[in-house]
């Protein structure tokens, strides 16, 4: 089972932990969400902080805007298993859901904005500069928001080349066009309103100010890309390395699949071999496509999966491993894996069935492993005393290491081996990893 | 695992099934398998290769059960269920993907069960008739995911009125399913009737689909399902 653990801070292994904006769950710019992850506090606190400090002369708003500008957006390269990524890219999985489908945040932001406007008017009166500034700020905020969107979609895009159109509009869509149009419109309106309000009488100053505002607007419009270019370059380099790694792996798998198919063709008369080859290849691919990083045998689940693969390659049996919870595989748990292996091998050898189910459940106090088949079964009492397979390699092994094993079987009803190993009996559990 | 209850909403006779999968070869294989193992019990009445076609076919043919691939052009199997809130069509996810996020996502999207593509013909026929009869179908793997998703509540001593938690009995049923037990064997093991097992399974499915709080929510959001 996949243990998906993606954290914003985990992106640069070995590097310092840097704050990010979380662009996957933004209300405005994802600043609060990103900070909440960075500071490890609930996002509600951060949002409350911003709203509260916004009342202190707009300090919160300015802080938010500043952080929005200078914090790099995180979660850029969230890597999941290749099969899932590819399915997402080709639209075979449901995509990211927009948070703003729920009108709540929009209403709240609107109310906040309205409140700021009223507050500003209350304090300064309807000054000459007020409305142009408000409109300009709103427009610029919209443009920044679009820049975020475009930047993120460029990351998701696999083609890698930077298309100027895409750089601005992202994947397009009415939302992007509306944002750009509204943003530019607001900035322009701000300039016009300013000119009208200021009147034509005082000629020189308005022109100067308008020019400055225009320049400022332009700088802010281009700003997002310039400021983030440096970040993007580093990120793109990392992505390139990753792409190359993936290409190598794909090539490797290609080879292995082709080899297996060749073997299957050669052995097409031998159904058992064909089935075994197909099964081992299937497992190989499945693991790579959907399970990202559970292939290693350093955890109990990984070790059981590896054990199953190993037995499958030597015996004509299909072993399905289902695990709930997981823990590090230490010396205390190795006997469990070995006993489970013995049980699975017994299924392959004696049960007369092609299938074994392995279920492992890890709780803080114990590890339970069940190996079940629907094969011939046997009468436990009738087993000759000289047949020591089950006794010595399963039951005695478990008992020796502080656990226990039960074998339940009846002729015609299959067999189930239950292994139980308490974890609290090994307090050095955590230290010996 | 052999009794075939006709669906409460459907007419007697073979269960009408629509196959939704983007791989023509796989569809052909399943069709042949159902014809071989499910003659007279299950009848494939239509096929579709993407979400749009699936919505259309389901709308036209009104099958009792849709075998739904999880990875599907046009937004995945979830999209088909989202756009087809038909009351009398039930969905059984049939997936090659083992990824928890896909499986749980599809179940939460409204599927009545989930089986992997390596399932044998007779088992698939059985699963289809079960779904048609209104039951939930959990493969061992799905049962494992469910236990994992609800795992945090094992040690909670205080039983509160939260809908989300699995009862000890439901947990026990899930555990046995995950261990590879068939319904009948679960019933025998727990000294309850098959009907009771089915009731527990349906109740787990309902909690899985409805629950939006606590452990499941955390589990799901850790995997970016929400």
């Amino acid at each position: 089972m996949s243990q998906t653990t993606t954290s914003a801070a985990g992106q640069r292994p070995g590097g310092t932990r840097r704050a990010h904006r979380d662009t996957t769950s933004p209300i405005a710019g994802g600043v609060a969400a990103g900070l909440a992850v960075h500071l490890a506090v609930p996002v509600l606190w951060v949002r409350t902080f911003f709203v509260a400090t916004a009342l202190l002369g707009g300090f919160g708003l300015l802080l938010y805007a500043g952080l929005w500008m200078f914090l790099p957006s995180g979660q850029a390269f969230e890597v999941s298993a290749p099969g899932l990524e590819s399915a997402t890219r080709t639209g075979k999985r449901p995509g990211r859901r927009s948070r703003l489908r729920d009108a709540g945040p929009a209403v709240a932001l609107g109310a906040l904005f309205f409140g700021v406007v009223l507050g500003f008017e209350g304090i300064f009166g309807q000054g000459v500069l007020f409305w142009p500034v408000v409109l300009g700020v709103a427009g610029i905020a919209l443009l920044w928001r679009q820049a975020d969107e475009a930047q993120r979609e460029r990351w998701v895009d696999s083609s890698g080349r930077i298309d100027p159109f895409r750089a601005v509009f992202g994947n397009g869509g009415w939302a992007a066009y509306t944002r750009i149009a509204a943003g530019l419109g607001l900035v322009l309106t701000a300039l016009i309103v300013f000119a009208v309000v200021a009147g034509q009488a005082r000629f020189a100053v308005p022109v100067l100010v308008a020019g400055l505002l225009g320049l400022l607007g332009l700088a802010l419009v281009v700003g997002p890309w310039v400021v983030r270019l440096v970040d993007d370059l580093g990120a793109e380099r990392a992505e390139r390395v990753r792409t190359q790694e993936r290409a190598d792996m794909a090539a490797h798998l290609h080879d292995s699949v082709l080899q297996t198919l060749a073997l299957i063709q050669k052995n097409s008369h031998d159904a058992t071999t064909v089935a075994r080859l197909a099964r081992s290849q299937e497992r190989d691919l499945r693991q790579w496509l959907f399970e990202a990083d559970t292939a290693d045998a350093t955890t109990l689940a990984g070790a059981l999966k590896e054990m199953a693969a190993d037995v499958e390659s030597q015996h004509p049996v299909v072993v399905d491993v289902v695990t709930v919870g997981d823990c590090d595989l230490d010396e205390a748990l190795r006997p469990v894996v070995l006993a489970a292996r013995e049980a699975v091998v017994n299924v392959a050898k004696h049960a007369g069935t092609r299938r074994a189910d392995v279920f492992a459940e890890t709780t803080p106090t114990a590890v339970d492993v069940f190996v079940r088949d629907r094969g011939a079964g046997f009468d436990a009492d009738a087993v000759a005393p000289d047949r020591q397979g089950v006794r010595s390699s399963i039951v005695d092994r478990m008992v020796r290491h502080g656990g226990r094993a039960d074998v339940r079987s009846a002729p015609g009803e299959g067999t189930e081996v239950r292994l139980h190993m308490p974890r609290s009996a090994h307090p050095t559990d955590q230290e010996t990893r | 695992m052999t009794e075939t209850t006709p669906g409460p909403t459907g007419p007697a006779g073979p269960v009408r099934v629509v196959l939704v999968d983007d791989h023509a070869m796989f569809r052909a294989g399943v069709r042949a398998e159902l014809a071989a193992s499910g003659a007279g019990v299950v009848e494939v009445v239509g096929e579709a290769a993407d979400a749009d076609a699936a919505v259309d076919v389901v709308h036209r043919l009104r099958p009792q059960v849709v075998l739904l691939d999880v990875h599907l052009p046009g937004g995945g199997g979830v999209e088909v269920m989202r756009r087809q809130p038909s009351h009398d069509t039930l969905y059984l996810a049939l997936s090659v993907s083992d990824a928890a996020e896909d499986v749980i996502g599809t179940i939460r999207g409204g599927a009545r069960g989930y089986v992997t593509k390596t399932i044998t013909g007779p088992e698939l026929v059985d699963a289809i008739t079960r779904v048609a009869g209104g039951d939930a179908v959990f493969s061992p793997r799905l049962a494992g995911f469910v236990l994992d998703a609800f795992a945090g509540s094992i040690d909670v001593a205080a039983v509160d009125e939260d809908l989300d938690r699995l009862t000890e009995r439901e947990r026990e049923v899930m555990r046995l399913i995950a261990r590879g037990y068939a319904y009948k064997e679960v019933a025998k093991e727990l000294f309850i009737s098959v009907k009771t097992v089915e009731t527990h399974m349906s109740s787990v499915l309902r909690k899985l689909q409805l629950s939006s709080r606590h452990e499941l929510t955390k589990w799901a959001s850790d995997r970016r399902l929400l």
Side-chain angles (χ1 to χ4, degrees):
Chain A
M1 250 165 283
S2 58
Q3 279 98 35
T4 324
T5 44
T6 36
S7 65
Q11 280 186 62
R12 292 180 175 79
T16 46
R17 203 165 72 113
R18 292 179 58 189
H20 291 84
R21 284 180 301 121
D22 183 358
T23 49
T24 55
S25 57
I27 283 183
V31 172
L35 276 185
V37 171
H38 185 69
L39 303 172
V41 294
V43 65
L44 187 65
W45 294 8
V46 184
R47 294 208 166 113
T48 314
F49 168 79
F50 278 120
V51 172
T53 48
L55 299 176
L56 302 177
F59 172 69
L61 286 182
L62 286 179
L63 186 64
Y64 194 97
L67 287 171
W68 190 355
M69 271 187 233
F70 292 109
L71 280 186
S73 61
Q75 307 279 358
F77 303 115
E78 190 181 298
V79 188
S80 59
L84 299 181
E85 280 198 353
S86 141
T88 308
R89 257 201 310 274
T90 48
K92 292 184 179 180
R93 298 177 78 215
R96 149 186 86 89
R97 270 152 267 181
S98 166
R99 294 201 15 140
L100 292 181
R101 191 169 295 165
D102 156 19
V107 171
L109 282 179
L112 191 66
F113 183 69
F114 191 65
V116 167
V117 169
L118 287 185
F120 203 94
E121 281 193 349
I123 295 166
F124 298 103
Q126 270 194 312
V128 175
L129 277 176
F130 175 66
W131 276 109
V133 167
V134 166
L135 290 177
V137 165
I140 287 158
L142 271 173
L143 289 171
W144 272 86
R145 179 83 174 76
Q146 169 57 24
D148 268 357
E149 202 80 0
Q151 189 190 24
R152 206 147 59 81
E153 276 160 11
R154 213 164 58 246
W155 277 332
V156 175
D157 177 28
S158 57
S159 63
R161 281 183 310 131
I162 296 178
D163 176 351
F165 178 80
R166 289 179 55 90
V168 177
F169 290 102
N171 282 344
W174 65 268
Y177 299 130
T178 314
R179 264 199 295 269
I180 293 274
L184 286 176
L186 282 172
V187 172
L188 215 66
T189 316
L191 291 180
I192 291 168
V193 168
F194 179 75
V196 169
V197 170
Q200 293 161 336
R202 286 162 291 164
F203 195 60
V205 180
V207 167
L208 189 66
V209 175
L212 280 177
L213 273 179
L215 270 181
L216 190 67
L218 200 65
L220 281 172
V221 170
V222 184
W225 298 290
V226 176
V227 170
R228 291 173 197 149
L229 197 60
V230 182
D231 250 347
D232 261 10
L233 279 178
E236 274 176 20
R237 203 172 304 130
E239 173 70 312
R240 205 173 311 124
V241 170
R242 204 168 284 131
T243 310
Q244 281 165 357
E245 271 173 10
R246 192 159 299 162
D248 288 348
M249 226 193 299
H252 166 77
L253 272 176
H254 243 94
D255 288 350
S256 68
V257 173
L258 287 180
Q259 303 285 6
T260 310
L261 286 177
L263 275 177
I264 285 178
Q265 283 177 38
K266 276 187 198 154
N267 292 289
S268 55
H269 53 277
D270 182 355
T272 318
T273 310
V274 168
R276 204 186 68 222
L277 287 170
R279 173 71 184 166
S280 74
Q281 195 57 66
E282 182 207 326
R283 189 185 44 241
D284 195 14
L285 273 176
R286 187 186 291 283
Q287 185 112 54
W288 184 71
L289 284 175
F290 301 122
E291 293 179 25
D293 49 355
T294 53
D296 57 347
T298 58
T299 69
L300 180 69
L304 284 173
K305 278 179 189 152
E306 198 179 81
M307 177 277 287
D310 200 30
V311 175
E312 274 184 2
S313 67
Q314 290 170 24
H315 300 276
V317 65
V318 171
V319 186
D320 263 341
V321 180
V322 174
T323 53
V324 171
D326 203 358
C327 62
D328 286 340
L329 181 73
D330 51 26
E331 282 312 310
L333 291 179
R334 212 168 288 279
V336 180
V337 177
L338 291 174
R341 183 196 167 89
E342 194 58 32
V344 175
V345 170
N346 278 345
V347 173
K349 281 187 183 162
H350 306 302
T353 177
R354 289 284 172 80
R355 198 187 150 82
D357 284 298
V358 176
F359 173 64
E361 184 167 9
T362 309
T363 61
T365 53
V367 168
D368 285 282
V369 178
F370 302 86
V371 178
R372 163 129 182 112
D373 71 76
R374 307 282 188 74
F378 61 90
D379 186 352
D381 299 331
V383 175
D386 60 320
R387 296 286 298 275
Q388 287 291 312
V390 169
R391 182 156 306 284
S392 66
S393 14
I394 299 180
V395 180
D396 288 352
R397 173 182 278 140
M398 289 300 290
V399 171
R400 242 192 341 267
H401 291 89
R404 66 166 192 271
D406 299 317
V407 180
R408 287 219 323 186
S409 186
E413 290 191 12
T415 306
E416 186 177 59
V417 177
R418 306 166 168 192
L419 311 172
H420 176 87
M421 180 68 81
R423 290 181 72 202
S424 48
H426 302 277
T428 52
D429 204 19
Q430 297 303 310
E431 287 84 325
T432 54
R433 55 173 74 171
Chain B
M1 297 217 20
T2 46
E3 71 261 66
T4 57
T5 8
T9 53
V15 178
R16 301 170 72 246
V17 173
V18 161
L19 270 176
V20 180
D21 195 294
D22 53 332
H23 296 106
M25 209 161 105
F26 182 78
R27 287 202 306 272
V30 172
R31 199 184 253 272
E33 217 162 46
L34 287 181
S37 332
V41 184
V42 169
E43 185 195 357
V44 179
V45 294
E47 293 181 6
D50 59 34
D52 291 335
V55 171
D56 183 50
V57 167
V58 171
H59 185 70
R60 259 189 310 115
L61 300 177
R62 305 226 157 232
Q64 279 163 275
V65 176
V66 177
L67 279 184
L68 192 60
D69 192 11
V70 171
H71 288 176
L72 200 65
V78 176
E79 183 68 11
V80 177
M81 292 186 284
R82 199 180 63 74
R83 282 163 56 187
Q84 184 66 47
S86 159
H87 304 296
D88 43 2
T89 298
L90 301 166
Y91 294 86
L92 175 61
L94 180 63
S95 167
V96 77
S97 162
D98 272 350
E101 46 268 63
D102 282 345
V103 177
I104 298 279
T106 312
I107 295 292
R108 283 180 74 85
R112 303 285 304 170
Y114 153 88
V115 290
T116 38
K117 284 185 174 177
T118 48
I119 190 173
T120 62
E123 284 173 333
L124 183 58
V125 171
D126 185 67
I128 291 170
T129 52
R130 252 174 212 296
V131 167
D135 289 330
V137 170
F138 289 77
S139 65
R141 189 162 292 272
L142 177 54
F145 288 150
V146 171
L147 285 172
D148 232 3
F150 285 101
S153 55
I154 289 180
D155 293 324
V156 176
V159 179
D160 50 25
E161 72 278 36
D162 281 346
L163 232 182
D164 298 344
R165 302 181 190 286
L166 298 187
T167 65
E168 195 43 51
R169 204 48 147 183
E170 287 160 356
R171 184 177 297 283
E172 207 50 55
V173 170
M174 278 294 119
R175 220 175 255 144
L176 288 171
I177 297 290
R179 275 156 67 176
Y181 280 58
Y183 283 35
K184 246 179 2 196
E185 293 165 332
V186 174
K188 201 174 141 206
E189 178 79 18
L190 298 179
F191 304 106
I192 53 181
S193 70
V194 173
K195 193 69 224 157
T196 313
V197 175
E198 285 167 356
T199 311
H200 284 312
M201 307 273 272
S202 298
S203 135
V204 172
L205 183 78
R206 205 182 60 243
K207 288 183 184 179
L208 198 55
Q209 290 178 344
L210 292 184
S211 112
S212 57
R213 291 174 287 172
H214 304 306
E215 290 83 20
L216 182 60
T217 308
K218 180 172 185 325
W219 187 85
S221 66
D222 282 350
R223 287 161 176 75
R224 305 207 158 261
L225 279 175
L226 296 176

